[in-house]
Amino acid sequence: MNLLAVRGLGKSFGGVKAVDGIDFDLKAGELLALIGPNGAGKSTTFNMVNGQLCADRGSILLEGRELVGLQPRAIWRLGVGRTFQIAETFSSLTVVENVQMALISNARRVFSFFRPAASLERARAMDLLDAVGMSAQADRACSALAYSDIKRVELAIALANTPRLLLMDEPTAGMAPKERNDLMALTRKLVVERHIAVLFTEHSMDVVFAHADRMIVLARGRLIAQGRPADIRRNPQVQQVYFGTGSTFALDAAAPAAGITT
Ligand code: ADP
Ligand code: MG
């Protein structure tokens, strides 16, 4: 069975159909990219899955269980995680302390009266930091880290909640190409090793083509294509939306509104 099954999902804001009846599936162990020009409905889709927004219509099933109508916290408890930016207030904590805090909060989720010993939490936090290549920097303050390293710690924090589905909205925003590729290669490794599903939005087409197992393409709230990167690259409708300007790998801002057919 698919981990996630989305059917007929829709959300309007006033007269704007931000998401207009989309269907897609996601399996465990799969890295699925959600792409589309600005205003295509990526964030709206994303926020319906995590419960920040309630769908007007349609269904989002997680292993057969309906998520539409549930509060974000209830969805999180069912194993849908997301990466959060490390809050300013936590940036004075060390890297490992940040991960330990996430582990404590997850222990409350899973065993409401059980609290693991501090030493156990530290060992588990170190394992997670190892998994994202950050154990050598465990005792540094998060405020002292390079931006790309903060992104790795945010990933470790998200993993502390043992998600079955991890949601990442533009995880590589603000990063240089090399760092983007490193972060997505790491994400890919974690997806395979931990057999989790990842749904991410991305505006860098080269990152998506290099790392996603499959992609879905939105334009003006409609799903215009889905498939493996190699197939999407050849899809005429996608080419019209994204490559219409001739700037091969430009997405978002460069996508010509006039070229979008829905
Ligand atoms: P993307 O993330 O692909 O750039 P969004 O999902 O943010 O697209 O937006 C899709 C459409 O819905 C856009 O036309 C946007 O202006 C509109 N929209 C998104 N959020 C809101 C909101 N909270 N209120 C009104 N309109 C919104
Ligand atoms: Mg967005």
Side-chain angles (χ1 to χ4, degrees):
M1 186 169 50
N2 287 313
L3 182 70
L4 192 75
V6 172
R7 294 292 178 272
L9 191 66
K11 178 82 183 171
S12 297
F13 296 104
V16 179
K17 288 182 173 174
V19 176
D20 190 9
I22 64 170
D23 300 343
F24 65 92
D25 294 316
L26 181 52
K27 292 186 176 66
E30 194 173 42
L31 185 57
L32 178 65
L34 177 58
I35 70 160
N38 266 334
K42 302 182 297 293
S43 295
T44 302
T45 300
F46 209 80
N47 289 328
M48 287 191 278
V49 178
N50 69 37
Q52 297 287 114
L53 286 173
C54 188
D56 297 338
R57 60 196 172 95
S59 160
I60 305 170
L61 297 180
L62 182 76
E63 286 185 329
R65 174 151 190 182
E66 184 59 69
L67 301 185
V68 172
L70 297 184
Q71 293 297 312
R73 201 168 167 83
I75 293 174
W76 177 72
R77 278 200 206 96
L78 291 173
V80 179
R82 50 196 280 228
T83 48
F84 283 100
Q85 295 193 341
I86 294 175
E88 283 295 311
T89 43
F90 294 159
S91 67
S92 62
L93 295 181
T94 65
V95 168
V96 70
E97 283 167 349
N98 263 286
V99 180
Q100 281 175 256
M101 283 190 42
L103 286 167
I104 292 168
S105 125
N106 186 52
R108 289 210 187 99
R109 175 188 76 156
V110 181
F111 316 100
S112 54
F113 47 83
F114 170 75
R115 192 177 174 286
S119 57
L120 179 61
E121 276 159 16
R122 181 168 168 110
R124 290 175 56 211
M126 289 304 294
D127 283 347
L128 287 169
L129 288 174
D130 211 30
V132 300
M134 284 296 292
S135 50
Q137 302 196 61
D139 294 313
R140 296 184 70 193
C142 276
S143 57
L145 296 183
Y147 185 66
S148 58
D149 288 339
I150 290 175
K151 293 283 160 189
R152 287 171 182 270
V153 178
E154 287 170 1
L155 203 47
I157 288 171
L159 292 176
N161 296 318
T162 56
R164 289 184 291 162
L165 168 62
L166 180 61
L167 305 172
M168 303 168 81
D169 199 3
E170 299 213 11
T172 72
M175 296 173 84
K178 161 90 171 72
E179 296 171 338
R180 283 182 174 168
N181 277 303
D182 288 351
L183 186 72
M184 291 319 298
L186 170 63
T187 305
R188 176 101 265 286
K189 179 180 86 98
L190 295 168
V191 162
V192 172
E193 282 176 3
R194 292 166 186 255
H195 204 59
I196 55 177
V198 169
L199 174 66
F200 74 108
T201 65
E202 177 60 65
H203 65 263
S204 163
M205 200 65 146
D206 50 353
V207 167
V208 173
F209 281 136
H211 300 286
D213 293 310
R214 212 154 49 79
M215 49 206 284
I216 55 184
V217 187
L218 295 183
R220 292 187 174 171
R222 298 272 182 87
L223 198 153
I224 62 163
Q226 58 179 316
R228 291 178 304 122
D231 299 329
I232 293 295
R233 202 193 278 270
R234 287 193 297 266
N235 181 297
Q237 216 179 347
V238 176
Q239 286 180 352
Q240 191 184 8
V241 171
Y242 290 111
F243 308 134
T245 55
S247 53
T248 315
F249 286 138
L251 258 184
D252 263 311
I260 298 172
T261 52
T262 54

